[in-house]
Amino acid sequence: MTNPLLKDFNTPFGTAPFEEIKTEHFLPALKEAIKEGLAEVQAICDQTVAPNFSNTIIALEEAGERVSRIAEIFFNLNSAETNEEIQMLARDFSPLLSEYRNDILLNPVLFDRVKRVYQEADRGLLDHEDQMLLDKTYRSFERNGAKLDAKAQKRLREIDQQLAQQSLQFGENVLAETNRFELFLDKEELAGLPDYALEAAAEEAQAKGQEGKYFIGLQAPSYIPVMTYAQNRDLRKKLQLAFGSKAFKGDEYDNQESVLRIVKLRQERAELLAYKSHADYILSERMARSPQEVNDFLAKLQEVALPAAQSELRELEAYAKQKDGIDKLERWDLNYYQEKLKQERFEIDDNKLKPYFEINRVIEGAFAVANKLYGIRFEERTDIQKYHPDVVTYEVKNADDSHLAIFYADFFPREGKRNGAWMTSYRSQKLTKEGDQRPHVSIVCNFTKPGKSTPSLLTFNEVLTLFHEFGHSLHGILAQGKYASLSGTNVYWDFVELPSQIMENWCYEKECLDLFAHHFENGSALPEEWVHKLKESATFMEGYATIRQVGFAKLDMAWHNGLPELDTVAEVEEAVFAETALFPAQDETNMSCSFSHIFQGGYSAGYYSYKWAEVLDADAFELFKEKGLFDTETAQKFRSLLASGGSEHPAVLYKRFRGKDPDPEALLRRAGLIELHG
């Protein structure tokens, strides 16, 4: 039987042949690809000529391409369209890849060649991208144990194997917990829910064999409307406690031991490599260069945001008491009364807005913004294979009609898809002997599905999410580099959120909203006064939103800046949140046990990046506001920043775009947490 993963993809643009790939293809393909990759590495080591940039650094960059492609396809499916079989397979996949990576980075002959090029290369003959690749390649060996003795290298391999397994198990437990919570309710128990949420809940219950009932679960399109609109306070409490206690119940899906193991293993690994902590290890290649710099940054935000958040909560508590006689505002009351107060103050809410945000029009709006900024176009293609029928595929073209990228869009929840929203890549951009290999990128979200009587209508927050992930995708789509490892989103982690977060700013501007915010039934544009109210409401409860993110970032740093002194996950978390908490601790809930960003994703010692990048995006968007939302010159400068990927230090790229270093107060001005100057 021919394995489709082991041959050139005979598909449009070399896209992944999803319809030909079966689960049983993955493991044999990976093992064969690893053999092939190691043979390519061995060929580099066996050369008799002296090492140079071309025969060692570039050759290593190009080795193992098939391994990377198979891994990208497999792990993207494990996130977006998984099942028990794929999850079981992942437990074999991760250790194999970890061992393969270590076989390369702990190869003494290879490291000797890399080191000689690093020390002896005439850098005057290398451009900035070549120099960045040389430095990054050398550091990758150094940072992964190439200088350790044999005993330490053996232990490093063991740690990497264990970390791969623990991270997988963590994610599987969170997904299982999300899927197993089910409530089937009568309509009267859901008083206050908008029609769109009721219709979706009824259809979901019917699909699960509960005709006449309404399904409520922990997936975002189900959970958020209940927490925002349900009058039933006991139901809100039940859902909030269920959401907050995911993988924290002491049963087979409990993640407490996983958290502690991951943290200890990361710390041991950092110490093996002569770093004080995992955070020191991670931050040595970030814009924020040390734990102290991160903690100082978070402290400045906390100093401004905490008093604002406390004031907001006092006002909300008084409102809840006046409205419904609530004596003590609880966590499960927050979204409900926040929404009600917001509606009263700004006379706007998602029930009014959603008819103007039909998903296909919002997608077309995002495409229109990209077209006005960068001159690119998105054309739907029906000849590109998909991993699920919900996925829509597009070819992206330049203004001159040349091919730029392939774009996959996957927007609706299902049991095999993890919660949240993300951008990913199925193939990176790079230069090859054949020319410019263009990227294949994807965004994955969990929005409300179309109902029988209504299309998929987005909340404004979902519009922001779509634009955010689309911003990430543009970073990949517009990539224009020589090397895959420096291309697209392969940048410093605290820079990677700039392209995504800046896109959200356009969603508050009438000039942008007029492109797509039209009523799905009559085509009328979003009223101008509502656009003003949207902008006015953008800073509503911003103190609380900021301090919440600061708390999460501090929790991340507490886990990774040396081992915590406290013994249990609950104790560590309670101690950290005591500094920023606006509600009493809940014994039943725990953030860490479902904090997938830091224990399954790539944000360990990096969650602060969201706020760090917000400083950059707030400052960058001030230039667009000054020059014009779609000013061609400004857009082309920003396109150059996106196209550059990780080929230069992000501080250099940013200053080239902006003409100056970012203003740290730009974020606080936009958030309404300090007064505008002048």
Side-chain angles (χ1 to χ4, degrees):
M1 179 181 68
T2 303
N3 190 323
L5 292 166
L6 288 174
K7 60 180 185 179
D8 291 338
F9 296 164
N10 187 24
T11 52
F13 310 104
T15 48
F18 290 113
E19 293 162 18
E20 302 166 33
I21 299 169
K22 295 182 169 53
T23 304
E24 59 264 27
H25 289 144
F26 279 110
L27 197 55
L30 180 66
K31 289 178 177 177
E32 186 60 35
I34 284 174
K35 276 189 205 171
E36 184 181 293
L38 291 176
E40 290 166 345
V41 168
Q42 191 59 46
I44 298 171
C45 296
D46 289 344
Q47 293 177 100
T48 55
V49 295
N52 58 43
F53 184 77
S54 177
N55 69 22
T56 299
I57 305 301
I58 291 180
L60 182 57
E61 169 75 7
E62 294 174 349
E65 181 177 4
R66 200 187 300 273
V67 175
S68 299
R69 194 80 198 275
I70 292 168
E72 284 172 336
I73 294 170
F74 178 78
F75 284 109
N76 286 330
L77 290 180
N78 194 33
S79 292
E81 184 59 13
T82 195
N83 53 46
E84 284 188 13
E85 195 179 358
I86 288 177
Q87 289 178 6
M88 289 291 291
L89 191 57
R91 295 171 194 174
D92 293 323
F93 236 70
S94 288
L96 281 172
L97 285 166
S98 177
E99 191 68 11
Y100 168 70
R101 185 168 179 269
N102 279 327
D103 282 343
I104 295 172
L105 294 174
L106 298 178
N107 182 319
V109 176
L110 183 62
F111 178 53
D112 182 64
R113 290 184 68 89
V114 169
K115 183 167 64 173
R116 285 174 61 189
V117 179
Y118 179 76
Q119 293 172 340
E120 299 168 10
D122 183 348
R123 290 178 177 257
L125 299 177
L126 303 177
D127 65 23
H128 68 266
E129 199 166 352
D130 295 337
Q131 291 185 44
M132 181 66 81
L133 180 66
L134 176 56
D135 291 343
K136 185 175 181 178
T137 302
Y138 177 75
R139 287 197 309 270
S140 69
F141 279 84
E142 191 177 54
R143 286 167 55 80
N144 287 279
K147 291 183 174 181
L148 298 179
D149 61 30
K151 182 180 177 183
Q153 287 188 353
K154 181 174 182 292
R155 178 57 189 152
L156 190 75
R157 286 177 181 267
E158 292 168 354
I159 290 172
D160 287 344
Q161 293 274 357
Q162 292 170 40
L163 279 171
Q165 293 285 20
Q166 288 294 326
S167 178
L168 276 173
Q169 188 62 56
F170 183 97
E172 288 173 14
N173 287 346
V174 173
L175 181 61
E177 279 278 78
T178 302
N179 287 338
R180 78 169 171 175
F181 181 87
E182 295 185 337
L183 288 179
F184 294 95
L185 304 175
D186 295 321
K187 188 174 184 179
E188 56 268 23
E189 297 176 272
L190 296 171
L193 251 67
D195 289 342
Y196 74 86
L198 286 171
E199 182 177 2
E203 290 182 10
E204 194 69 32
Q206 184 179 15
K208 292 176 179 291
Q210 296 279 339
E211 184 79 37
K213 292 285 188 178
Y214 294 79
F215 169 80
I216 300 297
L218 298 182
Q219 291 85 359
S222 181
Y223 175 78
I224 291 174
V226 173
M227 300 308 296
T228 307
Y229 299 109
Q231 296 169 12
N232 186 335
R233 195 182 187 204
D234 288 338
L235 174 61
R236 297 200 308 269
K237 178 180 179 180
K238 185 171 188 174
L239 237 67
Q240 188 268 319
L241 291 176
F243 193 91
S245 63
K246 284 187 292 188
F248 184 63
K249 299 185 180 71
D251 58 12
E252 71 271 29
Y253 298 133
D254 191 279
N255 269 338
Q256 293 176 78
E257 282 302 314
S258 282
V259 167
L260 295 174
R261 285 196 200 105
I262 289 170
V263 167
K264 287 175 182 173
L265 287 166
R266 285 174 174 169
Q267 178 65 22
E268 183 185 352
R269 190 180 194 282
E271 290 176 0
L272 267 178
L273 296 167
Y275 289 90
K276 185 179 177 182
S277 70
H278 179 70
D280 284 282
Y281 170 78
I282 291 293
L283 294 168
S284 64
E285 292 201 327
R286 296 289 187 267
M287 295 181 76
R289 292 154 294 185
S290 69
Q292 188 62 52
E293 192 167 347
V294 172
N295 288 331
D296 288 347
F297 170 69
L298 295 174
K300 287 175 185 173
L301 288 180
Q302 182 174 324
E303 182 182 0
V304 176
L306 187 56
Q310 291 166 335
S311 175
E312 291 164 356
L313 263 290
R314 285 194 296 271
E315 181 185 22
L316 199 62
E317 189 158 48
Y319 174 79
K321 184 173 178 61
Q322 173 262 320
K323 192 84 176 169
D324 290 327
I326 300 294
D327 288 323
K328 184 183 178 186
L329 194 75
E330 301 283 2
R331 290 175 193 266
W332 48 85
D333 298 319
L334 180 71
N335 287 4
Y336 181 74
Y337 287 105
Q338 180 177 308
E339 182 65 20
K340 285 198 169 303
L341 180 57
K342 184 178 176 182
Q343 287 179 19
E344 286 190 16
R345 179 167 297 171
F346 303 103
E347 298 177 329
I348 196 165
D349 64 79
D350 277 328
N351 288 323
K352 286 182 178 179
L353 293 170
K354 279 172 72 81
Y356 293 89
F357 296 135
E358 190 273 322
I359 191 168
N360 291 310
R361 283 188 169 168
V362 178
I363 296 165
E364 290 302 320
F367 292 168
V369 170
N371 178 258
K372 288 175 77 70
L373 287 170
Y374 309 122
I376 63 176
R377 293 183 295 107
F378 291 73
E379 295 181 0
E380 186 175 350
R381 298 281 300 237
T382 57
D383 58 341
I384 293 170
Q385 295 185 32
K386 311 171 183 182
Y387 57 85
H388 190 276
D390 284 350
V391 178
V392 183
T393 52
Y394 301 87
E395 181 185 1
V396 191
K397 292 184 176 181
N398 272 309
D400 63 3
D401 220 33
S402 60
H403 174 73
L404 188 61
I406 295 298
F407 177 67
Y408 299 83
D410 180 1
F411 289 129
F412 303 121
R414 50 186 177 267
E415 284 199 359
K417 183 197 281 192
R418 66 177 170 90
N419 268 348
W422 62 94
M423 170 266 178
T424 190
S425 170
Y426 285 98
R427 188 176 81 174
S428 297
Q429 180 272 333
K430 65 177 181 179
L431 291 185
T432 70
K433 294 182 181 68
E434 289 73 38
D436 186 5
Q437 175 181 286
R438 298 310 304 164
H440 302 163
V441 303
S442 168
I443 60 174
V444 186
C445 303
N446 282 277
F447 300 143
T448 304
K449 291 181 178 180
K452 289 178 181 173
S453 61
T454 57
S456 175
L457 303 176
L458 303 186
T459 67
F460 185 67
N461 276 338
E462 289 176 327
V463 174
L464 292 176
T465 296
L466 193 153
F467 268 69
H468 178 104
E469 300 307 334
F470 185 64
H472 278 311
S473 75
L474 289 174
H475 203 181
I477 287 167
L478 296 172
Q480 201 68 56
K482 291 197 284 187
Y483 308 117
S485 66
L486 301 177
S487 177
T489 57
N490 290 313
V491 299
Y492 280 14
W493 210 256
D494 43 12
F495 192 65
V496 78
E497 294 297 334
L498 166 62
S500 55
Q501 289 175 180
I502 196 172
M503 284 299 293
E504 297 179 33
N505 291 279
W506 272 268
C507 298
Y508 292 96
E509 303 295 333
K510 185 177 187 300
E511 194 177 346
C512 170
L513 290 166
D514 282 348
L515 297 172
F516 67 91
H518 299 272
H519 199 287
F520 79 99
E521 290 178 321
N522 59 33
S524 60
L526 187 69
E528 186 169 355
E529 62 268 27
W530 289 11
V531 178
H532 291 310
K533 291 177 189 296
L534 260 181
K535 293 188 79 165
E536 288 174 5
S537 67
T539 58
F540 179 65
M541 297 290 291
E542 188 60 35
Y544 176 82
T546 299
I547 207 65
R548 181 173 178 268
Q549 287 296 96
V550 167
F552 292 167
K554 292 181 79 165
L555 178 63
D556 173 29
M557 292 305 292
W559 281 123
H560 294 116
N561 189 20
L563 289 177
E565 294 177 3
L566 299 164
D567 292 330
T568 69
V569 175
E571 287 172 341
V572 172
E573 191 160 303
E574 187 174 353
V576 173
F577 284 158
E579 300 176 16
T580 57
L582 296 164
F583 292 98
Q586 293 175 310
D587 291 341
E588 310 98 315
T589 68
N590 186 272
M591 170 71 184
S592 300
C593 286
S594 59
F595 202 170
S596 297
H597 273 77
I598 68 171
F599 292 119
Q600 184 192 11
Y603 281 85
S604 64
Y607 197 82
Y608 75 92
S609 300
Y610 284 103
K611 300 310 289 184
W612 184 279
E614 274 190 54
V615 171
L616 301 178
D617 94 71
D619 183 69
F621 193 66
E622 285 184 354
L623 184 62
F624 278 100
K625 291 279 285 180
E626 177 190 331
K627 300 290 188 181
L629 282 187
F630 298 108
D631 177 65
T632 302
E633 183 182 350
T634 308
Q636 286 308 307
K637 284 183 180 178
F638 199 73
R639 177 172 181 163
S640 177
L641 178 150
L642 296 174
S644 298
S647 63
E648 293 184 85
H649 193 284
V652 173
L653 293 175
Y654 188 85
K655 193 168 184 177
R656 186 180 299 143
F657 160 71
R658 192 65 170 94
K660 65 180 184 66
D661 292 325
D663 177 1
E665 292 194 347
L667 168 61
L668 299 175
R669 285 197 295 272
R670 184 179 65 187
L673 296 175
I674 59 171
E675 293 298 320
L676 288 166
H677 298 304

